[in-house]
Amino acid sequence: MRVRPYVREHWPRIARSLLDGSDRPIPVRRVFIPTASGGTRPLGIPTALDRFLQQALLHALEPRFDREFSPHSYGVRPGKRAHQAVRAATAHIAAGYSVVVDIDRASFFDRVNHDVLMGRLAKRIGDRRILRLIRRSLDAGVMVEGLKVRRMEGTPQGGPLSPLLATVLLDGLDKELGRRGHRFVRYADDCNAYVRSRRAGERVMAGLRQFLSRRLTLQLNEAQRAVDHATRRGFLGVSFHGREHLKVRLDRESLRRVNAVIRQHTRRARSISMSERIRRLNEYLVGWLGYVALAETPSVFEELDQWLRRRLRACRWKEWTRGRTRDRMLRKLGLPRGTAVQGFSKKGPWPRRPDGARSTGPREGCTPRRRPAHLSLLRARWPLACVSGAVPRIKMPCAVSHPGCPSRYSSV
């Protein structure tokens, strides 16, 4: 439904039900999304009206709560972002706190205790009507295949109010870490504490396990929690390497995920136009590049860009099904006739070299003098010049802004 016309028409009834306490939130719709580990994550999607009311609560409560939150909490807060969390972690490691205590909670959003959460909210909210509305939203339940299932714990992801409620609960962990004098960084439910030795890390892990179970009724994920050297653990899509000169690099898991997405969108069996293929790639890559913009690994970006271009050329090669078409299109792109005649070859887009090894790309040695426009547009979005400080060859606007970017342009 359209929320604005509905609210304008029925606002007297909605306001009256909110004031007299007769409002009853509708159970959320349960959906599942895939996770990076190969599993699924449950989401709870509220109705349009309930989302509207939760957003109104968020606008009223967030300014009051946010100024009391820890400055070391960076997730889902106004003026905070993942880049700040990565910079803070880099500063802790560079200062000598090279052992990380990875505090991973098991299914955090599904294990939030309603009573503990409401107790923390009641300390800061004096209006009983607001507390009653939040409690009823938590107790509304979920719809699973048309059946209402009662929920005794958890704050379902998917509603506007859910991140704030999670931060209110985890603020107790932030305050405890600060009281103990630990250096830590928390982004949403990802929390890392930094110490100088593994022995100190094990002691911190044991103390936090006891605090989470007794005070917040949360359990650690024993399979994911760890006490290890900071250079061996990823954080928010990046990892760290180096001793004297600490640098940020792409995490292997993050690189594996982006490779999987590129493979999905550049499958030659997918019958879609090249412009649509490029549009979908840009839609994902621009956001991903902005997220990992602090990575100081220009060679990785360059190799990924080259591999992406080769796969796009393979898609184009298959579109030119006939040898005559390939010969004509290659010459149109600027290749000499002696090279373009390789379009009549039937060895496929990834042929073997004379030594038996696979070539590095479609028709190795057949690179046109003039690049197709759609590939240049894709390359212009790659922030390699901004990351590495390289001087761009062709000036085109960079689609991603980076702090301290030496140039507003990226090479093509």
Side-chain angles (χ1 to χ4, degrees):
M1 69 175 180
R2 294 183 178 272
V3 179
R4 182 175 296 180
Y6 180 86
V7 170
R8 284 178 177 175
E9 180 181 355
H10 299 276
W11 179 247
R13 177 185 58 82
I14 296 172
R16 187 168 54 254
S17 64
L18 291 173
L19 292 174
D20 62 20
S22 60
D23 179 74
R24 292 291 188 276
I26 299 176
V28 298
R29 180 167 60 93
R30 173 62 57 87
V31 296
F32 294 90
I33 60 173
T35 62
S37 59
T40 58
R41 175 181 299 168
L43 296 182
I45 310 299
T47 63
L49 179 58
D50 288 340
R51 283 201 304 271
F52 171 80
L53 295 177
Q54 288 190 25
Q55 190 67 44
L57 279 175
L58 181 66
H59 282 301
L61 298 178
E62 190 173 50
R64 179 184 303 178
F65 280 90
D66 190 73
R67 59 173 174 260
E68 300 178 6
F69 289 153
S70 169
H72 306 292
S73 171
Y74 299 93
V76 202
R77 292 180 57 191
K80 301 287 187 179
R81 57 178 181 165
H83 290 177
Q84 296 172 334
V86 173
R87 290 193 184 96
T90 305
H92 293 329
I93 299 171
Y97 296 83
S98 56
V99 176
V100 61
V101 182
D102 193 341
I103 309 166
D104 195 319
R105 287 158 297 278
S107 304
F108 166 71
F109 285 93
D110 296 332
R111 300 289 180 84
V112 172
N113 186 286
H114 293 175
D115 295 332
V116 175
L117 175 59
M118 293 306 302
R120 292 185 173 274
L121 290 172
K123 294 179 181 179
R124 306 179 186 180
I125 301 176
D127 195 330
R128 292 176 176 266
R129 293 169 296 185
I130 294 180
L131 293 173
R132 181 173 59 235
L133 182 59
I134 296 175
R135 182 70 193 219
R136 287 178 178 176
S137 299
L138 295 173
D139 296 338
V142 297
M143 296 296 294
V144 180
E145 297 181 355
L147 298 177
K148 179 182 177 180
V149 178
R150 187 179 180 184
R151 187 178 65 239
M152 304 300 298
E153 60 181 3
T155 167
Q157 294 175 274
L161 197 60
S162 178
L164 178 63
L165 297 181
T167 306
V168 168
L169 183 65
L170 290 178
D171 186 58
L173 174 62
D174 298 341
K175 295 296 193 295
E176 180 66 16
L177 287 169
R179 186 185 65 82
R180 298 183 183 187
H182 296 311
R183 298 193 177 207
F184 70 97
V185 176
R186 186 175 66 79
Y187 186 87
D189 61 331
D190 292 331
C191 184
N192 285 353
Y194 296 90
V195 295
R196 292 186 179 274
S197 66
R198 184 179 293 272
R199 182 177 179 181
E202 295 292 350
R203 184 173 63 251
V204 171
M205 178 67 77
L208 291 179
R209 180 190 289 109
Q210 186 177 14
F211 173 81
L212 289 172
S213 61
R214 290 187 177 181
R215 301 288 297 276
L216 303 182
T217 66
L218 296 174
Q219 300 295 325
L220 287 177
N221 187 342
E222 297 297 334
Q224 298 294 331
R225 63 96 181 172
V227 176
D228 204 349
H229 198 276
T231 57
R232 302 194 187 108
R233 304 289 298 184
F235 182 58
L236 300 180
V238 298
S239 57
F240 309 94
H241 71 110
R243 293 184 179 273
E244 296 181 359
H245 303 286
L246 190 68
K247 290 187 176 182
V248 180
R249 64 181 178 184
L250 277 177
D251 186 41
R252 292 182 180 179
E253 186 63 24
S254 178
L255 190 59
R256 183 190 66 81
R257 288 198 295 268
V258 73
N259 285 343
V261 173
I262 291 176
R263 284 194 180 94
Q264 177 185 357
H265 290 302
T266 56
R267 290 175 53 201
R268 297 190 295 276
R270 300 190 69 179
S271 180
I272 58 176
S273 65
M274 183 60 73
S275 60
E276 177 62 17
R277 202 184 296 269
I278 296 295
R279 187 193 67 79
R280 295 182 184 181
L281 282 169
N282 284 339
E283 192 176 69
Y284 176 83
L285 289 175
V286 169
W288 179 77
L289 288 169
Y291 188 76
V292 299
L294 295 182
E296 303 171 272
T297 50
S299 61
V300 176
F301 287 108
E302 184 67 29
E303 292 173 3
L304 189 60
D305 177 68
Q306 294 172 0
W307 176 67
L308 171 58
R309 288 177 176 275
R310 290 196 295 268
R311 290 190 65 88
L312 289 174
R313 293 190 186 105
C315 294
R316 183 64 84 187
W317 190 261
K318 186 176 181 180
E319 292 177 3
W320 302 335
T321 54
R322 300 174 59 187
R324 186 176 303 173
T325 304
R326 292 170 180 169
D327 176 67
R328 183 180 72 254
M329 297 303 295
L330 289 175
R331 282 194 288 172
K332 185 178 179 180
L333 291 172
L335 266 70
R337 185 171 184 176
T339 305
V341 75
Q342 294 188 31
F344 289 96
S345 174
K346 297 182 179 180
K347 295 182 180 180
W350 300 86
R352 296 276 179 176
R353 296 202 300 252
D355 59 2
R358 290 185 70 87
S359 67
T360 58
R363 301 293 126 203
E364 187 173 335
C366 298
T367 305
R369 297 192 192 99
R370 179 168 57 86
R371 292 181 176 180
H374 61 272
L375 291 182
S376 296
L377 289 175
L378 179 66
R379 184 63 180 88
R381 295 182 180 276
W382 205 268
L384 178 61
C386 299
V387 175
S388 63
V391 178
R393 297 190 298 274
I394 300 177
K395 290 188 175 183
M396 298 187 69
C398 182
V400 184
S401 60
H402 309 282
C405 174
S407 170
R408 290 183 61 253
Y409 304 97
S410 62
S411 59
V412 176

